[in-house]
Amino acid sequence: MHSREGMGKTLATLREAAAGCRACDLYKRGTQTVFGEGRLHAKVMLVGEQPGHEEDLAGRPFVGPAGKLLDRALAAAGIDRGDVYVTNVVKHFKWEPRGKRRIHAKPNQTEIAACLPWLQAELDVVKPEAVVCLGATAAQALLGSRFRVTKERGQWVKAPWAERVLATVHPSAVLRAPDDEARHREFDLFVADLARVRTALAA
Ligand code: SF4
């Protein structure tokens, strides 16, 4: 068992090592490695797909529009963002140019496989009681390529590396809803999934 100080050092060491990662070509495209962050003994680890434009510039996960929506959803579900650890399956921003903008591009299987050891190391150190996969990339990377968020969202499943795993949508999917009504509906469903996490951990 690591001491709290030892765990801190381990996370810091991991972060430092990941900053120089060249295990796939995405380091050439992103500004920097965006490692996870949060409490050392976080009960909940939230795992997204990859950093976006703002995360890439800030070097921190979930600080852009999707991160702000995630903050609101966590608050609505009664979970303090300060009590969770947030990270992504892939630690560099993959993007394609569109005019002057950098548009999100989906990471491929090779990039996901190359980056997965960082997430496994984060899981080993933080040892969360519950892992929440935000979107299909995280769910399939952690639960297998046959996992379908559309069919199995909001349900607890077991995994060797966490007692409880639950998949839901990525907050960017809520933002992409076609109109206000759909966005409110998707937000409420997202909050309901997160509320199941809070309830399970309080039990
Ligand atoms: S995306 Fe992951 S595996 Fe690829 S270079 Fe960045 S940190 Fe390394």
Side-chain angles (χ1 to χ4, degrees), residues 48-66:
E49 181 193 74
Q50 62 166 346
H53 171 76
E54 292 190 32
E55 288 81 8
D56 170 75
L57 297 177
R60 297 182 56 210
F62 287 102
V63 293

Side-chain angles (χ1 to χ4, degrees), residues 18 21-27 33 89-92 111 114-115 118:
C21 182
R22 304 283 184 269
C24 79
D25 282 347
L26 292 184
Y27 79 92
T33 304
V89 173
V90 170
K91 309 292 199 246
H92 270 99
E111 292 150 353
C115 213
W118 292 120

Side-chain angles (χ1 to χ4, degrees), residues 29-48:
R29 224 182 294 190
T31 305
Q32 56 193 319
T33 304
V34 181
F35 206 67
E37 65 177 30
R39 278 176 74 113
L40 297 180
H41 288 288
K43 286 186 172 182
V44 185
M45 184 182 285
L46 303 174
V47 185

